Amino acid sequence: MAQYFTNDRVLECLEGRPIGGGVGHHADIGLADADVTVETRSAFFDALNSSADVIGIPGTARIDLSGEDLTLSGQTIVSDRGIDGSPGALLYTTDHGHDSPAWDGGSNGRGLITMDGGSRLSGVRLRGPYHDYYDDPEYPGYIPLDSGNTSERRQAREGRYARGLRILADDVEVDNCEIYGWPNQAIAIGTSSNAVSPSIHHIYGHDCMMVGAGYVIDVFNGHPTIEMSYFNATRHAIAGFGHPTCGYTLEDSVFGPTTYSHAVDMHCLAENGYGDDLTAGGRVEVRRCTFAFTHSIRDYDCQAIAFRGYPDDVYITENNRFLHDVDPDFENPANTSGQPVPYRQVNVGSGWHDWQSSGNQYGVGEPQESGIGAPVNLDDPMAGKPLIDEERRRGLRVALRTLE
């Protein structure tokens, strides 16, 4: 099935708007607020080890962090993504696999950058080791299932693992960033014993799409707020582990047309080694989001949302726009995944359980209703868009599409 909206169309509609950050978003911090400005790897690490609270990196800088991981505590790293068309400074690694700094400690370990209390990452690009994976004919960037038996496939997959950020405190902020090329997790939140609730907003997360993994935001424990962001080319853009203290509030965001599986997810504990416990998170709220797909890159029916058990509190889906063409009172298909519906609740038998749904719009035949979906009109790229000159528009395309 051909895509109704393409990624290029979505990016065109987002030009000059705040969703996804960049041009159109006015961050409350910039290079002028930096205590020190650096452009090289050595200067960057010197600044991290100094008393500087805010470390600035110009958008022209490219800093290779391969062979390293670092902890950010009480400090802010800021660049100028979106200012005069700047794509923002590039922080990147080529590390991946069991023993690499980008997968330090395994699934419950660190990442390239561990973010502790009072830390912030704003206006930068954070690039993982698989940003230029082009072996799959269906979609460049998708890492398919390897050949061999189950053990061999698992080893091959784990050999590619890399994590961008591990967030370990409530008072952490990630904003106005482009984050891409992470085959396992671009952002991991909390640990089994540490539930945290950071703020993530105005990010562009894409090309994190490996079979069996592939998350932009993976909530292990806690309740982040995720707002005004654009996600595309993922297995699951947002996933959750299933602890009763695990959930998220997701608002005013767009999920693009390229996906391997459903975009918004919450596992149950039974799927993660907790016996037959079908608890699947605590409270999950999805409001005013636009889901610009109905099928996966393999052309099978693909839900936008799948919650895989019972919430400890409640699931809420309100005022979202789904391209799936269904009656608002459709039945939950439960474990039958190949259904052309916008969302399903798994492992619960029939019916909906502790799931509140209201005000959603379905189908592609009607223009977006007022107050429904993210604040961008994919039916009309120019609707409500501020006028910008061509030079600024060219810079904007650079910022959004990461032309390096």
Side-chain angles (χ1 to χ4, degrees):
M1 178 179 178
Q3 292 178 342
Y4 186 78
F5 294 125
T6 65
N7 187 47
D8 283 345
R9 171 59 174 259
V10 176
L11 291 174
E12 180 184 5
C13 292
L14 293 178
E15 285 182 350
R17 300 179 188 275
I19 293 177
V23 176
H25 169 57
H26 302 288
D28 63 357
I29 192 170
L31 290 175
D33 300 299
D35 298 311
V36 60
T37 300
V38 301
E39 298 188 51
T40 66
R41 175 179 166 124
S42 60
F44 175 62
F45 280 100
D46 287 344
L48 287 173
N49 293 322
S50 75
S51 61
D53 293 324
V54 181
I55 302 168
I57 311 175
T60 53
R62 299 164 57 93
I63 299 179
D64 184 356
L65 299 177
S66 300
E68 299 282 354
D69 60 7
L70 59 101
T71 296
L72 199 63
S73 180
Q75 289 179 303
T76 293
I77 298 172
V78 65
S79 189
D80 58 355
R81 180 171 179 248
I83 303 300
D84 296 327
S86 172
L90 177 66
L91 304 179
Y92 69 98
T93 186
T94 58
D95 295 335
H96 56 88
H98 304 279
D99 301 323
S100 80
W103 192 242
D104 185 9
S107 60
N108 202 31
R110 294 161 53 84
L112 177 62
I113 302 176
T114 298
M115 301 187 71
D116 218 329
S119 62
R120 181 176 180 180
L121 190 68
S122 181
V124 307
R125 290 174 290 159
L126 188 69
R127 192 181 77 189
Y130 280 85
H131 69 285
D132 57 354
Y133 190 90
Y134 297 122
D135 288 2
D136 186 80
E138 295 290 335
Y139 182 78
Y142 166 60
I143 305 173
L145 191 68
D146 293 280
S147 60
N149 59 38
T150 300
S151 176
E152 290 169 337
R153 290 197 301 269
R154 183 177 63 252
Q155 289 178 6
R157 185 170 65 245
E158 291 175 353
R160 299 187 180 101
Y161 277 1
R163 178 187 298 116
L165 305 175
R166 167 70 84 178
I167 298 179
L168 298 179
D170 292 328
D171 55 340
V172 169
E173 186 172 359
V174 179
D175 67 287
N176 194 29
C177 293
E178 181 179 4
I179 305 178
Y180 62 109
W182 299 95
N184 190 286
Q185 302 157 327
I187 303 173
I189 295 172
T191 67
S192 57
S193 60
N194 185 20
V196 300
S197 303
S199 174
I200 301 170
H201 59 97
H202 298 92
I203 71 165
Y204 176 25
H206 62 96
D207 289 283
C208 302
M209 192 165 58
M210 181 169 72
V211 66
Y215 318 115
V216 176
I217 301 174
D218 193 2
V219 185
F220 196 85
N221 207 353
H223 191 109
T225 300
I226 305 160
E227 302 171 288
M228 296 294 286
S229 296
Y230 178 46
F231 304 93
N232 190 52
T234 67
R235 178 168 169 265
H236 303 315
I238 300 166
F241 187 88
H243 293 297
T245 48
C246 177
Y248 43 85
T249 296
L250 170 63
E251 296 180 330
D252 301 302
S253 295
V254 177
F255 296 82
T258 303
T259 186
Y260 176 75
S261 185
H262 54 273
V264 175
D265 171 83
M266 178 62 74
H267 284 265
C268 70
L269 290 175
E271 296 172 316
N272 285 314
Y274 286 72
D276 59 358
D277 191 341
L278 294 180
T279 301
R283 184 180 186 88
V284 181
E285 305 174 40
V286 185
R287 294 189 175 90
R288 298 180 307 278
C289 290
T290 296
F291 297 88
F293 64 89
T294 59
H295 288 68
S296 77
I297 61 170
R298 297 307 190 206
D299 200 28
Y300 55 72
D301 291 318
C302 189
Q303 293 84 35
I305 299 171
F307 298 142
R308 308 189 192 201
Y310 300 93
D312 190 63
D313 187 355
V314 67
Y315 302 135
I316 298 173
T317 50
E318 294 179 342
N319 300 325
N320 301 292
R321 186 187 186 191
F322 300 95
L323 294 196
H324 303 76
D325 191 10
V326 297
D327 185 283
D329 297 321
F330 71 93
E331 294 295 325
N332 174 33
N335 286 320
T336 305
S337 60
Q339 295 289 326
V341 295
Y343 41 86
R344 63 188 178 112
Q345 191 172 11
V346 182
N347 299 321
V348 299
S350 61
W352 303 99
H353 301 268
D354 300 307
W355 189 320
Q356 300 174 9
S357 179
S358 65
N360 300 302
Q361 180 181 345
Y362 306 95
V364 298
E366 298 295 329
Q368 180 173 333
E369 297 175 10
S370 176
I372 304 298
V376 59
N377 191 335
L378 302 185
D379 301 294
D380 182 359
M382 297 307 297
K385 180 177 292 188
L387 296 176
I388 57 178
D389 60 43
E390 185 57 30
E391 181 178 356
R392 190 177 176 203
R393 188 181 299 278
R394 284 196 299 269
L396 172 59
R397 294 191 180 109
V398 171
L400 283 175
R401 295 172 185 167
T402 321
L403 299 178
E404 299 174 4

